[in-house]
Amino acid sequence: MSFDLVVWAMDPAAAPDQVRAANARCAEGVHPQRPADPRVVAFYDALTSTYPDRGPRATGPGSPWASAPLHAAADHIQMRLDESCPDVVLETIERLAAELNLDLLDLQDGTVYPPPLRVG
């Protein structure tokens, strides 16, 4: 079993419904034709420097990924994580999302977690 998380580079005023709508468009294969958001690039680079999504380490023992490579688009990164993925991986994802002002969407229940700086 696996679970999916997606980080989204949205406008700071974006509501959770807007994040879910953007994800629905992605699921339909609709992706914006624009340069990659620097926040998404930084997230991907930081995450995959520790947890590679390509090459033998991407799917070998100790990899957190249930499927690799990650789905990367201009405005988001979707991650399919192995159910036995260590908590430290989830903590890293949450920390990077917060540092880079990215929304985090849990595809299991549709919950959107805005970066802590925007909560409150």
Side-chain angles (χ1 to χ4, degrees), residues 11 14-15 17 30 32-34 39 41 49 55 58 74-75 77 84 86 89 97-98 110-111 114 116 118:
D11 183 277
D17 283 344
V30 178
Q33 298 301 311
R34 63 181 177 99
R39 298 173 292 168
V41 174
S49 71
D75 56 357
I77 303 288
S84 62
V89 177
T111 302
R118 290 190 355 224

Side-chain angles (χ1 to χ4, degrees), residues 91-116:
E91 292 164 2
T92 300
I93 291 168
E94 291 171 354
R95 177 184 54 77
L96 289 170
E99 287 174 3
L100 295 165
N101 200 31
L102 297 167
D103 289 292
L104 183 61
L105 172 62
D106 182 334
L107 292 184
Q108 285 57 237
D109 64 8
T111 302
V112 176
Y113 301 93

Side-chain angles (χ1 to χ4, degrees), residues 14-112:
D17 283 344
Q18 291 171 293
V19 176
R20 287 188 283 272
N23 198 76
R25 288 189 296 277
C26 169
E28 294 170 357
V30 178
H31 294 95
Q33 298 301 311
R34 63 181 177 99
D37 188 295
R39 298 173 292 168
V40 170
V41 174
F43 177 88
Y44 179 84
D45 289 347
L47 186 64
T48 60
S49 71
T50 303
Y51 307 107
D53 71 328
R54 297 176 191 278
R57 288 186 50 211
T59 55
S63 172
W65 312 125
S67 77
L70 305 181
H71 168 74
D75 56 357
H76 67 281
I77 303 288
Q78 182 172 346
M79 300 153 282
R80 178 159 288 155
L81 294 128
D82 187 84
E83 68 180 6
S84 62
C85 149
D87 287 344
V88 68
V89 177
L90 300 174
E91 292 164 2
T92 300
I93 291 168
E94 291 171 354
R95 177 184 54 77
L96 289 170
E99 287 174 3
L100 295 165
N101 200 31
L102 297 167
D103 289 292
L104 183 61
L105 172 62
D106 182 334
L107 292 184
Q108 285 57 237
D109 64 8
T111 302
V112 176

